[in-house]
Amino acid sequence: MARGKIVIRRIENMSSRKATFSKRRHGLLMKSRELAILCDVQVSVMVFSSTSRLYEYASSIAATTMGMAMPSIIQNYQSAQEHHHLLNSVSQVMLWEGEVRKLHQEIQMLQEHHGYKFLIQFLPVPDIELRGESPDLKSGNGDGYTSLPC
């Protein structure tokens, strides 16, 4: 006979809720232990009851003494979070560098297709960037930008 599915919602009856918590907590800790043994991984589980009592399991792979397993796993977790955060920051920088490269390529294509006079009427370009490009584009009005009549 197959088990029926239950609706996941808060159990209103206090004694049923306590019994269910105890059984499910035991099952969760047992599965954590099995996962650590079978897969040779670090596992830590912390469960706080409604009365704030702590139940925990930490695989002893992380440290030689059981008392140090949980702090060791938490330290590994924090290191992994910092590494993930750094990678996330690096990937954001790489994303924006890629966007800058695409925009430079697009500007270069527009410059080749339409010439500098077309672009300058839409984009103010500092004199410094134009030096050495074309002698007729060096003239400016003294504000650091060159604008050409079209």
Side-chain angles (χ1 to χ4, degrees):
M1 187 167 121
R3 293 185 189 182
K5 290 190 175 188
I6 63 163
V7 178
I8 302 297
R9 64 171 189 242
R10 185 176 189 270
I11 300 171
E12 297 300 325
N13 184 322
M14 179 71 90
S15 62
S16 296
R17 185 169 52 234
K18 286 183 179 182
T20 300
F21 173 75
S22 178
K23 289 176 185 177
R24 288 187 175 242
R25 183 195 73 236
H26 175 74
L28 178 64
L29 297 177
M30 184 177 65
K31 290 290 184 183
S32 301
R33 225 178 335 268
E34 291 172 0
L35 182 63
I37 293 169
L38 291 173
C39 300
D40 194 28
V41 295
Q42 294 180 352
V43 178
S44 67
V45 177
M46 291 188 289
V47 178
F48 290 93
S49 70
S50 59
T51 59
S52 299
R53 183 168 177 195
L54 171 65
Y55 300 92
E56 65 179 340
Y57 168 76
S59 60
S60 58
I61 295 169
T64 55
T65 60
M66 187 59 180
M68 291 302 293
M70 184 65 82
S72 177
I73 291 175
I74 290 172
Q75 183 179 6
N76 287 347
Y77 170 76
Q78 289 170 338
S79 296
Q81 285 294 97
E82 289 171 5
H83 181 70
H84 177 73
H85 179 69
L86 289 175
L87 284 179
N88 206 8
S89 298
V90 168
S91 64
Q92 285 180 354
V93 168
M94 291 173 62
L95 171 77
W96 286 113
E97 286 175 345
E99 289 295 316
V100 167
R101 274 192 299 276
K102 287 178 190 175
L103 289 172
H104 278 295
Q105 289 172 352
E106 189 174 337
I107 289 171
Q108 190 173 23
M109 186 216 40
L110 287 170
Q111 287 173 342
E112 290 170 0
H113 189 263
H114 296 290
Y116 282 106
K117 290 184 180 183
F118 174 78
L119 286 177
I120 291 175
Q121 68 182 342
F122 296 109
L123 301 172
V125 181
D127 285 335
I128 298 169
E129 291 181 19
L130 294 175
R131 288 191 188 124
E133 295 291 331
S134 175
D136 61 317
L137 296 177
K138 289 184 183 179
S139 61
N141 57 7
D143 64 355
Y145 292 96
T146 301
S147 57
L148 296 175
C150 292

